[in-house]
Structures are given as C-alpha cells and as structure tokens.
Amino acid sequence: YNDAEVAYKKGLLEDPKSPEAQSNLGNAYYKQQRFDDAGRQFGNSAVAITEATDRARSFYNIGNSLFKGDKLQESVEAYKQSLKLNPNDEDARYNLEMARRKLKQQQEQKKQEQKKDKKQDQQENKEQQNQDQNQQQKEKRKQEQQNQQQQKQEEAKQDQTRQQAQKKNQMPKPEAERILEALRNNEKEIQKNLRKREAVRIKVEKDW
C-alpha cells in the first residue's frame, strides 16, 4: 500500500483532477490505517466527481474513514450524505446504523463517566469541607485555650496588684504598736483625771 500511495501521487502530479487517482490514493491511505489522510483524500474525490452514484461512494468512504478514526458524529453525517445521493446503498444504511449505535454507546459512557466524576468531585468536596471544619474546630479550641490562659494571667495579675495595694496600705507593725501604746497611755491619763474629779468634794450651801 505504501508503493501504491507513491504511484497514485505520481499519477496526480500528471493529472491533479483525476477522481480515480484521488479515490485510489484515499484507499491506499485507508489500508495503511491513516484514516485522517484517507478522509481528506476521499473528500477531494467527492468534489471532483460529478456523477451522483460515484459521489455517494466517496461520501461512503469518508464515513468509513471517520468511523475508523472514532469521529462518530462526523461519520453519521457522511453516511447520511451518501444515502441522499444513493438511497439504495444498503451498505451505507447498515454502516449508518452501526455508527449511530456506537455514538449512542459513546455518549452514554461519557454521561456515566461525567456522573462518576461529579460524584467523585462531590465526595472530594465533602471530605474537604470536613477537613476545613475540623481545622476550624481545632483553631477555635486553640483560640479558646489561649483566651482562657490570657484570662488566668490577667486574673493572676489583678490578684497580685490587689495584694500589693493591700500590702502598701497596711500599717507597719512597729508603728501600729506605737499607736496602740499611745492609746493605752492616753486611756490611763483619762482614767487618772476621772479619779481626781471623783475625789474632789463639792460644798453646796443651802439657800433658804
């Protein structure tokens, strides 16, 4: 088929518009499983051919090339075009049905994969949300612990401040003893004066 390709290319150099050479070159590509090249060459053949039946055969070959290249939607359209030109071509009708079935299977498979991917994405999103919630809870607990620690430190600081204030306002022991001693001496002096007053007799003359 490689040699046939070379020969048909030489033929096209001599007659670029030859539909037979273009179609045969497309066949050579097709046999080498070069389906994209084959489809393009069959397309050139379809443009060059004027007779309806031969053009239908070119579209049929285009459909086969596209089908083999897994371009199913395009192959369906090519088979439809072939049947428009030649409605009695049962091979084209059969291949059209095969292409439609395979396309439907491909679409259903794609839907299943998308559904599976969506479900997987939802699961991953759910797991990520759980991780985020766990992280938020950890951060919240950490913040609460820090707040409690700060509160304890603040309370301890306030207690220390109150103790210092109480200690500052507290009277030194020697001074307190001195004041108490002074109060006791003062009390003794008061009692002494009271006794003196009791000892003094007051003479009251009668006023008749």
Side-chain angles (χ1 to χ4, degrees):
Y1 298 113
N2 185 57
D3 293 340
E5 174 191 345
V6 174
Y8 291 133
K9 283 181 177 180
K10 289 180 178 179
L12 284 172
L13 290 176
E14 296 178 3
D15 186 2
K17 295 182 180 181
S18 171
E20 294 82 1
Q22 290 174 347
S23 180
N24 289 338
L25 178 58
N27 287 328
Y29 285 141
Y30 188 88
K31 293 296 184 179
Q32 296 177 79
Q33 297 185 358
R34 293 165 58 181
F35 301 117
D36 289 341
D37 292 334
R40 283 191 293 269
Q41 197 58 51
F42 288 134
N44 294 334
S45 175
V47 173
I49 296 174
T50 57
E51 201 276 324
T53 303
D54 292 338
R55 289 193 69 195
R57 178 57 54 178
S58 293
F59 278 105
Y60 173 82
N61 290 333
I62 292 172
N64 289 343
S65 300
L66 292 169
F67 184 87
K68 290 291 187 178
D70 207 28
K71 295 180 175 65
L72 300 177
Q73 185 62 56
E74 293 85 347
S75 70
V76 167
E77 298 303 322
Y79 290 134
K80 286 181 178 180
Q81 189 64 32
S82 177
L83 287 169
K84 286 181 181 179
L85 295 169
N86 184 11
N88 297 322
D89 190 342
E90 294 301 324
D91 291 338
R93 196 179 309 278
Y94 176 83
N95 285 2
L96 173 60
E97 184 62 25
M98 291 295 294
R100 283 174 171 170
R101 288 182 183 179
K102 189 173 181 181
L103 177 61
K104 185 177 180 180
Q105 292 176 354
Q106 190 181 73
Q107 290 172 342
E108 290 178 353
Q109 183 179 0
K110 188 176 181 180
K111 287 181 180 179
Q112 291 295 330
E113 290 176 353
Q114 289 176 345
K115 186 176 180 180
K116 183 178 179 181
D117 292 340
K118 184 177 180 180
K119 186 176 180 180
Q120 185 176 358
D121 290 340
Q122 290 176 345
Q123 182 65 26
E124 290 177 354
N125 291 335
K126 186 176 180 180
E127 292 176 355
Q128 184 63 41
Q129 289 176 355
N130 291 334
Q131 291 178 358
D132 293 341
Q133 289 178 354
N134 293 334
Q135 183 65 27
Q136 290 175 357
Q137 291 176 355
K138 288 181 180 178
E139 292 177 355
K140 184 178 180 180
R141 287 195 295 269
K142 184 178 179 181
Q143 186 64 39
E144 289 175 351
Q145 292 175 353
Q146 290 178 350
N147 293 338
Q148 291 176 356
Q149 186 176 2
Q150 289 177 355
Q151 185 176 0
K152 289 180 179 179
Q153 291 176 351
E154 186 64 25
E155 290 176 353
K157 186 177 180 180
Q158 292 176 357
D159 291 340
Q160 184 179 4
T161 302
R162 284 195 295 267
Q163 291 175 1
Q164 290 176 350
Q166 291 174 357
K167 186 175 181 181
K168 183 177 181 180
N169 295 328
Q170 187 175 5
M171 186 180 296
K173 186 176 180 180
E175 185 176 354
E177 292 177 350
R178 183 181 63 78
I179 293 174
L180 289 173
E181 183 64 25
L183 290 173
R184 283 194 292 268
N185 291 335
N186 190 33
E187 180 67 21
K188 289 179 181 180
E189 187 66 24
I190 292 171
Q191 293 296 332
K192 183 178 179 181
N193 292 333
L194 288 174
R195 284 194 296 272
K196 285 181 180 181
R197 290 181 182 180
E198 290 176 357
V200 176
R201 293 180 179 180
I202 300 175
K203 183 178 180 181
V204 177
E205 295 182 357
K206 290 183 179 181
D207 186 5
W208 301 105

Coordinates of all heavy atoms in Angstrom, one line a residue, residues 1 39 47 53 61 101 109 118 121 130 135 152 156 178 185 188 202 204:
Y1 N 0.8 -1.2 0.0 CA 0.0 0.0 0.0 C 0.8 1.3 0.0 O 0.4 2.3 -0.5 CB -0.9 0.0 1.2 CG -1.9 -1.1 1.2 CD1 -1.9 -2.2 2.1 CD2 -2.9 -1.2 0.2 CE1 -2.8 -3.2 2.1 CE2 -3.8 -2.3 0.2 CZ -3.7 -3.3 1.1 OH -4.6 -4.3 1.1
G39 N -9.7 10.3 4.8 CA -10.9 11.1 4.8 C -10.7 12.3 4.0 O -11.6 12.7 3.2
V47 N -15.4 16.1 -4.4 CA -15.5 17.4 -5.0 C -15.3 17.2 -6.5 O -16.0 17.9 -7.3 CB -14.5 18.4 -4.4 CG1 -14.5 19.7 -5.2 CG2 -14.9 18.7 -3.0
T53 N -23.9 8.6 -8.2 CA -23.5 7.4 -7.5 C -22.1 7.3 -7.1 O -21.8 6.8 -6.0 CB -23.8 6.2 -8.5 OG1 -25.2 6.3 -8.9 CG2 -23.6 4.9 -7.9
N61 N -17.0 6.3 1.7 CA -15.6 6.1 2.1 C -15.2 7.1 3.1 O -14.4 6.8 4.1 CB -14.7 6.2 0.9 CG -14.9 5.0 -0.1 OD1 -15.3 3.9 0.4 ND2 -14.6 5.2 -1.4
R101 N -25.4 3.6 16.6 CA -25.3 2.8 17.9 C -24.1 3.0 18.7 O -24.1 3.2 19.9 CB -25.4 1.3 17.5 CG -26.8 0.9 17.0 CD -26.8 -0.6 16.7 NE -28.1 -1.1 16.1 CZ -28.3 -2.3 15.8 NH1 -27.4 -3.3 15.9 NH2 -29.5 -2.6 15.3
Q109 N -21.7 6.3 27.7 CA -20.5 6.1 28.5 C -19.9 7.4 29.1 O -19.5 7.5 30.2 CB -19.4 5.3 27.7 CG -18.2 5.0 28.4 CD -17.2 4.3 27.6 OE1 -17.4 4.0 26.4 NE2 -16.0 3.9 28.1
K118 N -18.6 13.6 38.7 CA -19.3 14.5 39.5 C -19.5 14.0 41.0 O -19.3 14.7 41.9 CB -20.7 14.8 38.9 CG -21.5 15.8 39.7 CD -22.9 16.0 39.0 CE -23.7 17.1 39.7 NZ -25.0 17.3 39.0
D121 N -16.2 14.2 42.6 CA -16.0 15.6 43.0 C -16.8 16.0 44.2 O -16.2 16.7 45.1 CB -16.3 16.6 41.8 CG -15.4 16.4 40.7 OD1 -14.3 15.9 40.9 OD2 -15.8 16.8 39.5
N130 N -15.2 18.6 55.4 CA -14.9 18.0 56.7 C -13.6 18.4 57.3 O -13.4 18.7 58.5 CB -15.1 16.5 56.7 CG -16.5 16.1 56.4 OD1 -17.4 16.8 56.7 ND2 -16.7 14.9 55.8
Q135 N -10.4 21.6 60.9 CA -9.4 22.6 61.1 C -9.9 23.8 61.9 O -9.2 24.4 62.7 CB -8.8 23.0 59.8 CG -7.6 24.0 59.8 CD -6.4 23.4 60.5 OE1 -6.2 22.2 60.5 NE2 -5.6 24.2 61.2
K152 N -6.6 33.8 82.8 CA -6.0 33.4 84.0 C -4.8 34.3 84.4 O -4.6 34.7 85.5 CB -5.5 32.0 83.9 CG -6.7 31.0 83.9 CD -6.1 29.5 83.8 CE -7.3 28.5 83.8 NZ -6.8 27.1 83.7
A156 N -4.5 36.6 87.6 CA -3.3 36.5 88.5 C -2.7 37.9 88.7 O -2.2 38.2 89.8 CB -2.4 35.5 87.9
R178 N 3.2 51.3 118.3 CA 3.4 52.6 118.9 C 2.1 53.3 119.1 O 1.9 53.9 120.2 CB 4.4 53.4 118.0 CG 4.7 54.8 118.6 CD 5.6 55.5 117.6 NE 4.9 55.8 116.4 CZ 4.0 56.7 116.2 NH1 3.6 57.5 117.2 NH2 3.4 56.9 115.0
N185 N -1.7 54.7 126.9 CA -1.2 55.8 127.8 C -2.3 56.8 128.0 O -2.5 57.4 129.0 CB 0.1 56.3 127.3 CG 1.2 55.3 127.4 OD1 1.2 54.4 128.3 ND2 2.2 55.5 126.6
K188 N -5.0 55.7 130.2 CA -4.6 55.8 131.6 C -4.7 57.2 132.1 O -5.2 57.4 133.3 CB -3.2 55.3 131.7 CG -3.0 53.8 131.6 CD -1.5 53.4 131.7 CE -1.4 51.9 131.5 NZ 0.1 51.5 131.6
I202 N -17.6 68.7 146.4 CA -18.2 70.0 146.1 C -19.1 70.4 147.3 O -20.1 69.6 147.6 CB -18.9 69.9 144.8 CG1 -17.9 69.5 143.7 CG2 -19.6 71.3 144.5 CD1 -18.6 69.3 142.4
V204 N -22.0 72.5 148.8 CA -23.1 73.2 148.3 C -23.8 73.9 149.5 O -24.2 73.2 150.4 CB -24.1 72.3 147.5 CG1 -25.3 73.1 147.1 CG2 -23.4 71.6 146.4

